[in-house]
């Protein structure tokens, strides 16, 4: 109820169009302009090429969510953005960027392109880290084939898409939650490189955690 | 152009392996200088690395090929980031999954919050130092369990002083029967780095609380202080002079009927002379309505004066 109410008031303020100070007007306009620019830019499509050779199209703003792609586009020093669209596809040279993975990544950035940029402010960061995944993200990342899931995470890490890596991380941590060592190893197919003695020693050190069970 | 980019990119891949550093659990990629790289890093490198992602230096030479659906294929940095969303409990349960996990799993634990359940169930006094030893990067410790659950808090404070190196936030709501030496050891180590202190004593024993007040005065970088039962110190003459913590942003003080007009006066003036303070909260937990009203009146009188 509360949320709805406050939403109404902000809408009312925006409609009446007279925020209290000049600064606010400037900030508001600047934000609006930036928003419009991002929207325009996203209509320009660029091509990304997977390690396996598949080419996928993606909005410019969306593609720039990958810090790696953004840096690369900056390095081209192209002032006429529309020309970028006619360029050859950008190759992503990491074997994790398979056709399937890139297809999924493009799907993710296309859905998330208008997310607010990640705030480096630590408090916000902490809040964001504790946030549950959205319904859309949950469905997106719930992938039966684990190899594909790891491909996406590794590829997102390679392309430096912070938000997507985080979605993957949260998904995996949700799966690990409450499971025992053996169960986790089985699930994620991790090779146990401890000797039985080493493992017993760790168990002993961490005894307190099993006290409840 | 496409070819040059491809080279530049494989160069980028190589650099990312070597230059990646991790701070506070977030992967920081240095500014890409790869775009200027001209030496072609041939595709053969990518071929040998097929099926395995970047690993950190000491496993780099291993030519092992990991199955695609095994988490082992991911490098330390990424693995550390993935596991940074686990709770403290899950971290301890999963330490023995593999050596890689053991290496990275505790690095991103920055908080330790000790609640009543935690204390009752897990014999906290024994495991507390183990936790601190393993989680080297803890910056915030909050012990919010009531005092009767923790019989002796001296060893806890001592192990914090011994094992923690990056502590900036401390909240101890159990500060009972703590020895002077323990306080001194604790503050000798952390006085310069503490940014936030929340401190509650159960008793109202002036003589026993004096050491912590004196120690807090040495914390130069404190920006937040929530203290309870502080009435008796805040009107002592040395408070306003010595406790000139210039960076202080937020202070909570509890006052009660023993706090007289002069004391509140000092608190208020103090507020005016500290430009950084954005939040100054004074409150009272007097249960007696009459006393509460009296305190309120004192505060109002002082407010009017200012």
């Amino acid at each position: 109820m509360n949320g709805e109410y406050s939403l109404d008031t902000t809408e009312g303020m925006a409609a009446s169009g007279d925020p209290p100070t000049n600064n606010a007007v400037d900030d508001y306009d600047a934000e609006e302009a930036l928003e419009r620019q991002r929207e325009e830019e996203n209509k320009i499509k660029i091509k990304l090429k997977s390690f396996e050779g598949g080419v996928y199209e993606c909005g410019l703003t969306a593609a720039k969510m990958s810090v790696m792609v953004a840096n690369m586009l900056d390095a081209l020093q192209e002032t006429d953005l529309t020309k970028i669209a006619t360029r050859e596809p950008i190759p992503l040279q990491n074997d994790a960027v398979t056709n399937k993975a890139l297809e999924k990544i493009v799907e993710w950035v296309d859905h998330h392109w208008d997310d607010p940029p990640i705030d480096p402010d630590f408090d916000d960061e902490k809040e964001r880290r504790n946030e549950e995944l959205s319904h859309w993200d949950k469905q997106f990342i719930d992938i039966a084939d684990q190899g594909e899931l790891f491909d996406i995470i590794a590829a997102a890490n390679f392309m430096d898409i912070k938000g997507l890596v985080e979605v993957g991380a949260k998904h995996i941590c949700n799966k690990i939650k409450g499971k025992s060592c053996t169960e986790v190893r089985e699930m994620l197919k991790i090779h146990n490189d401890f000797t039985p003695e080493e493992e017993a020693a760790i168990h002993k050190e961490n005894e307190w955690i099993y006290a409840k069970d | 152009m496409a070819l040059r980019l491809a080279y530049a990119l494989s160069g980028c891949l190589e650099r990312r392996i070597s230059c990646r550093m991790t701070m506070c659990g977030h992967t920081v990629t240095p500014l890409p200088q790869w775009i200027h790289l001209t030496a072609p890093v041939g595709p053969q490198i990518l071929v040998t690395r097929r099926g395995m992602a970047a690993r950190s230096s000491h496993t780099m030479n291993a030519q092992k090929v990991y199955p695609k659906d095994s988490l082992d294929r991911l490098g330390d940095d990424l693995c550390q980031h993935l596991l940074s969303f686990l709770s403290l409990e899950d971290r301890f349960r999963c330490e023995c999954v593999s050596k890689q996990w053991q290496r990275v799993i505790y690095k991103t634990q920055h908080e330790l919050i000790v609640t009543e359940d935690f204390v009752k169930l897990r014999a906290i006094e024994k495991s507390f130092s183990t936790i601190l030893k393993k989680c080297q990067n803890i910056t915030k410790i909050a012990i919010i369990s009531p005092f009767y659950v923790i019989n002796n808090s001296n060893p806890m404070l001592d192990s914090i002083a011994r094992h923690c190196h990056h502590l900036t936030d401390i909240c101890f709501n159990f500060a009972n029967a703590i020895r002077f030496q323990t306080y001194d050891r604790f503050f000798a180590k952390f006085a310069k780095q503490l940014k936030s202190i929340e401190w509650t004593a159960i008793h109202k024993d002036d003589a026993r609380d004096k050491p912590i007040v004196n120690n807090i005065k040495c914390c130069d970088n404190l920006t937040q202080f929530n203290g309870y039962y502080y009435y008796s110190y805040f009107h002592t003459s040395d408070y306003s002079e010595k406790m000139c913590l210039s960076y202080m942003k937020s202070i909570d003080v509890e006052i009660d009927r023993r706090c007289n007009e002069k004391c509140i006066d000092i608190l208020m003036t103090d507020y005016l002379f500290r430009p950084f303070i954005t939040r100054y909260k004074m409150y009272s937990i007097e249960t007696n309505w009459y006393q509460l009203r009296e305190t309120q009146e004192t505060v109002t009188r002082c407010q009017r004066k200012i």
Side-chain angles (χ1 to χ4, degrees):
Chain A
M1 287 309 277
N2 230 340
E4 271 170 40
Y5 176 73
S6 62
L7 196 70
D8 278 352
T9 47
T10 43
E11 264 174 14
M13 265 182 68
S16 66
D18 46 12
T21 61
N22 275 334
N23 269 347
V25 175
D26 288 349
D27 283 355
Y28 186 74
D29 282 355
E31 233 170 72
E32 185 91 318
L34 197 72
E35 197 60 38
R36 229 173 295 136
Q37 192 199 338
R38 279 164 60 93
E39 210 175 313
E40 274 315 304
E41 276 187 20
N42 204 42
K43 282 179 191 151
I44 302 170
K45 300 288 176 209
I46 65 164
K47 293 185 205 93
L48 301 172
K49 192 170 155 194
S50 82
F51 189 72
E52 295 170 333
V55 175
Y56 296 87
E57 256 194 5
C58 171
L60 183 61
T61 315
K64 278 187 174 174
M65 290 186 87
S66 155
V67 177
M68 193 194 85
V69 171
N71 284 339
M72 246 172 61
L73 291 173
D74 281 351
L76 292 174
Q77 295 186 329
E78 183 70 77
T79 41
D80 185 4
L81 289 174
T82 46
K83 275 193 185 160
I84 286 180
T86 58
R87 276 185 181 274
E88 287 188 41
I90 297 174
L92 301 164
Q93 296 285 9
N94 180 303
D95 63 351
V97 193
T98 57
N99 282 344
K100 269 185 181 171
L102 187 58
E103 196 185 337
K104 285 289 267 184
I105 289 174
V106 168
E107 185 190 340
W108 191 86
V109 290
D110 267 340
H111 185 264
H112 282 272
W113 71 270
D114 57 349
D115 279 3
I118 287 171
D119 200 320
D121 192 310
F122 187 68
D123 287 342
D124 281 13
E125 168 99 336
K126 212 178 130 195
E127 226 166 78
R128 208 191 66 245
R129 285 180 65 87
N130 291 335
E131 241 171 50
E132 275 260 331
L133 289 182
S134 70
H135 184 68
W136 192 91
D137 279 337
K138 263 186 196 157
Q139 281 196 330
F140 169 85
I141 204 73
D142 192 18
I143 298 161
D145 178 1
Q146 201 159 268
E148 194 189 328
L149 174 68
F150 293 155
D151 273 344
I152 292 172
I153 294 174
N157 184 53
F158 167 75
M159 292 170 72
D160 214 342
I161 309 175
K162 216 178 164 197
L164 180 52
V165 177
E166 215 169 272
V167 170
K170 282 180 181 173
H171 176 67
I172 288 181
C173 285
N174 277 340
K175 287 212 284 190
I176 295 172
K177 209 180 277 172
K179 289 208 170 60
S180 75
C181 255
T182 333
E183 285 168 328
V184 170
R185 249 183 247 132
E186 242 164 59
M187 181 176 71
L188 301 173
K189 306 226 172 14
I190 294 170
H191 172 67
N192 181 10
D193 49 4
F194 284 114
T195 61
E197 294 81 37
E198 281 173 328
E199 203 179 328
I202 298 171
H203 262 276
K204 193 154 172 49
E205 276 174 359
N206 299 346
E207 227 171 17
W208 60 278
I209 205 75
Y210 309 102
K212 193 170 68 173
D213 311 332
Chain B
M1 185 62 214
L3 194 66
R4 249 189 61 207
L5 266 180
Y7 280 145
L9 272 174
S10 42
C12 164
L13 169 68
E14 287 306 294
R15 290 187 72 86
R16 281 170 69 89
I17 298 165
S18 54
C19 322
R20 261 183 171 211
M21 48 188 182
T22 313
M23 282 170 71
C24 313
H26 312 299
T27 317
V28 179
T29 318
L31 210 69
Q33 287 141 356
W34 47 266
I35 203 73
H36 303 300
L37 284 183
T38 45
V41 185
Q44 70 274 14
I45 288 172
L46 295 166
V47 175
T48 54
R49 189 157 283 131
R50 251 193 109 78
M52 83 180 253
R55 303 209 116 217
S56 27
S57 52
H58 57 285
T59 46
M60 274 282 276
N61 296 331
Q63 287 294 312
K64 215 169 168 182
V65 173
Y66 296 91
K68 261 183 106 58
D69 59 348
S70 158
L71 197 80
D72 284 332
R73 62 184 271 218
L74 305 180
D76 274 15
D77 292 345
L78 183 52
C79 190
Q80 176 176 322
H81 184 54
L82 293 184
L83 298 178
S84 69
F85 294 89
L86 287 177
S87 69
L88 184 74
E89 271 192 48
D90 285 322
R91 283 172 210 253
F92 274 88
R93 199 175 294 124
C94 293
E95 183 191 338
C96 53
V97 164
S98 75
K99 285 188 175 156
Q100 185 189 32
W101 281 41
Q102 188 184 34
R103 271 200 303 277
V104 301
I105 203 161
Y106 295 119
K107 284 196 179 157
T108 46
Q109 181 71 40
H110 300 297
E111 266 187 10
L112 175 60
I113 295 165
V114 179
T115 57
E116 193 173 345
D117 288 351
F118 204 77
V119 176
K120 271 186 193 156
L121 290 169
R122 312 292 158 87
I124 187 73
E125 278 146 90
K126 277 184 219 148
S127 50
F128 195 66
S129 63
T130 320
I131 298 176
L132 293 178
K133 242 184 267 172
K134 292 193 174 185
C135 308
Q136 289 279 324
N137 293 332
I138 283 184
T139 56
K140 180 182 176 180
I141 296 180
I143 294 157
I144 45 184
S145 168
F147 72 102
Y148 52 81
V149 185
I150 300 167
N151 297 325
N152 186 358
S153 31
N154 282 297
M156 288 178 84
L157 265 194
D158 274 338
S159 31
I160 295 177
R162 199 171 311 123
H163 301 299
C164 285
H165 305 293
H166 306 286
L167 193 71
T168 56
D169 288 43
I170 180 90
C171 157
F172 37 119
N173 285 357
F174 62 89
N176 257 30
I178 290 178
R179 286 191 295 269
F180 297 175
Q181 303 96 305
T182 311
Y183 273 138
D184 288 346
R185 263 199 298 274
F186 182 84
F187 281 100
K189 178 151 185 189
F190 298 118
K192 299 289 173 237
Q193 64 192 69
L194 279 177
K195 290 198 176 116
S196 164
I197 297 179
E198 185 173 334
W199 184 81
T200 322
I202 303 304
H203 52 70
K204 300 188 180 188
D205 183 343
D206 292 7
R208 274 176 147 174
D209 293 347
K210 198 79 183 164
I212 187 172
V213 176
N214 286 334
N215 271 313
I216 286 173
K217 285 174 191 163
C218 305
C219 298
D220 295 337
N221 295 316
L222 209 61
T223 55
Q224 190 176 348
F225 173 67
N226 303 357
Y228 309 97
Y229 307 118
Y230 260 103
Y231 50 89
S232 49
Y233 306 113
F234 280 131
H235 63 258
T236 54
S237 56
D238 64 353
Y239 160 68
S240 48
E241 288 156 34
K242 281 191 194 155
M243 205 167 155
C244 48
L245 304 162
S246 44
Y247 303 112
M248 204 73 118
K249 278 188 189 134
S250 149
I251 303 184
D252 285 9
V253 186
E254 190 194 310
I255 48 175
D256 72 354
R257 76 198 126 87
R258 281 207 272 163
C259 170
N260 59 22
E261 194 167 326
K262 193 180 154 221
C263 149
I264 293 178
D265 209 19
I266 290 176
L267 280 171
M268 291 286 190
T269 344
D270 192 60
Y271 171 64
L272 289 178
F273 284 103
R274 284 169 195 260
F276 289 106
I277 288 184
T278 51
R279 198 180 76 115
Y280 206 142
K281 194 168 139 199
M282 281 194 260
Y283 51 94
S284 172
I285 54 154
E286 284 297 343
T287 39
N288 183 319
W289 185 80
Y290 176 72
Q291 284 161 351
L292 185 67
R293 204 186 57 179
E294 214 171 55
T295 325
Q296 264 179 347
E297 276 169 4
T298 326
V299 175
T300 331
R301 263 203 306 282
C302 287
Q303 269 173 340
R304 241 180 266 131
K305 248 194 279 178
I306 291 171

